[in-house]
Amino acid sequence: MITLWFVIIAFLWTGYFVLEGFDFGVGLLAPFVGRTESERKQALQSIGPVWDGNEVWLITAVGAMFAAFPAWYAGLLSSFYLPLTLVLVGLIMRGIGLEWRGKVTRPSERAWCDLFVLLGSALPAFLWGAIFADVILGSGVAALVGGVFSLAVCVLHGAVFLALKTEGRVRLRARRAALAATAVVIPLAVVALPAIPAGGSVPGWIAAGGAMALLAAGGSLIWRRREGWAFAATAGAIALASTAVFVMLWRAPLPGLTPAEAASGPYTLGVLSWIGLAILPFVLGYQGWTYWVFRKRVMAA
């Protein structure tokens, strides 16, 4: 049961990183790929139907940690109280910006909303990478590199998503942004990804190596105007990088804490398993249906 629930939590976090990764990237890029109000609106509409649903993965992941591994949950939130508070501040700012942008009429008010979306996307994109790098490597330098790498990957992932989901000038600028981001991400990946499984297991090395290969493939595919395959590559790279992280966390979710020590009792894990078995298929089905309904490209108004 302990192994099962650790895998479930890793899956939930990975889903969050993949889906919110392009949300953050779009929020960071919207003011730059959109030169006019119509273009900025087009960029943000690409995530309009899904961004709040993607946040459900974070809520579910944290809730599962609280129930299945309370010591891990408590230790993580206590050790990283300030950065996690800033993550919440960023998510609140982004939500305010996205929700209010369609309700205000003055250009100055829309500019404030755009700033909130930009900052609210940048904070979590940087801080999640910094937090998990610090947990694994216990170094301020590692946290900084992990944060910058996470931020750059979100920009790449978001640029590829925009190229996939939009038309016209926004699509062309998003493709150029993806190519520029690739030139930054690849050197960072060479530094950051091998550090995750250093001294660890073979699966961690395989996952980290696969992530680097997929990031390079994503850049090559966007150059060839294969946006769909490029998005699959960047999504796969994030999933594999997350896998490498959780392979390392399986040894010690926090320094000096094993999964067995962090876990709830067998009865609690058994009850959680039945609840998860009943709820998870509906959540996955609803998310899949949402993406299918809003699968078409967004046109400029």
Side-chain angles (χ1 to χ4, degrees):
M1 283 294 182
I2 293 175
T3 302
L4 172 64
W5 271 99
F6 188 89
V7 171
I8 291 172
I9 289 169
F11 170 74
L12 293 171
W13 275 107
T14 300
Y16 171 71
F17 292 143
V18 170
L19 297 176
E20 280 281 73
F22 68 76
D23 281 354
F24 295 148
V26 171
L28 288 161
L29 289 168
F32 306 102
V33 300
R35 306 286 174 80
T36 66
E37 169 58 24
S38 175
E39 291 174 350
R40 286 190 289 272
K41 184 178 179 181
Q42 179 188 7
L44 292 175
Q45 280 181 336
S46 68
I47 61 171
V50 298
W51 69 268
D52 50 352
N54 291 341
E55 287 186 352
V56 173
W57 288 78
L58 174 61
I59 297 169
T60 309
V62 173
M65 287 177 64
F66 171 76
F69 295 93
W72 184 14
Y73 168 88
L76 185 68
L77 268 66
S78 298
S79 301
F80 297 94
Y81 181 82
L82 179 58
L84 287 172
T85 300
L86 291 175
V87 167
L88 292 178
V89 169
L91 294 176
I92 292 169
M93 290 176 64
R94 185 182 66 141
I96 292 172
L98 289 170
E99 290 293 339
W100 278 94
R101 198 181 192 285
K103 298 177 175 64
V104 298
T105 55
R106 297 177 183 176
S108 60
E109 294 172 332
R110 285 196 293 266
W112 276 107
C113 290
D114 290 342
L115 179 62
F116 269 44
V117 173
L118 177 65
L119 295 177
S121 299
L123 277 172
F126 175 84
L127 288 170
W128 283 127
I131 289 168
F132 279 94
D134 196 0
V135 170
I136 293 172
L137 299 172
S139 162
V141 174
L144 178 61
V145 173
V148 173
F149 174 66
S150 175
L151 182 66
V153 170
C154 286
V155 171
L156 172 60
H157 197 37
V160 173
F161 181 78
L162 276 172
L164 175 65
K165 289 290 293 180
T166 59
E167 289 283 4
R169 292 186 179 90
V170 172
R171 182 184 180 187
L172 295 175
R173 292 180 193 130
R175 189 183 294 125
R176 288 198 291 267
L179 292 172
T182 301
V184 175
V185 166
I186 297 301
L188 285 171
V190 172
V191 175
L193 288 174
I196 297 173
S201 62
V202 172
W205 281 106
I206 294 173
M212 284 192 286
L214 285 177
L215 287 172
S220 173
L221 288 163
I222 201 69
W223 174 264
R224 295 162 55 192
R225 300 171 185 259
R226 304 292 297 274
E227 291 101 340
W229 285 107
F231 181 73
T234 55
I238 295 173
L240 285 176
S242 178
T243 300
V245 167
F246 280 94
V247 166
M248 295 303 298
L249 291 178
W250 173 244
R251 303 170 64 188
L254 290 172
L257 183 70
T258 67
E261 293 169 339
S264 295
Y267 177 78
T268 301
L269 294 178
V271 172
L272 287 174
S273 298
W274 285 108
I275 295 173
L277 185 64
I279 295 176
L280 192 58
F282 290 100
V283 174
L284 295 176
Y286 171 75
Q287 284 253 296
W289 176 78
T290 302
Y291 279 94
W292 175 255
V293 169
F294 295 102
R295 67 188 180 279
K296 293 183 179 180
R297 291 183 183 271
V298 179
M299 309 293 291

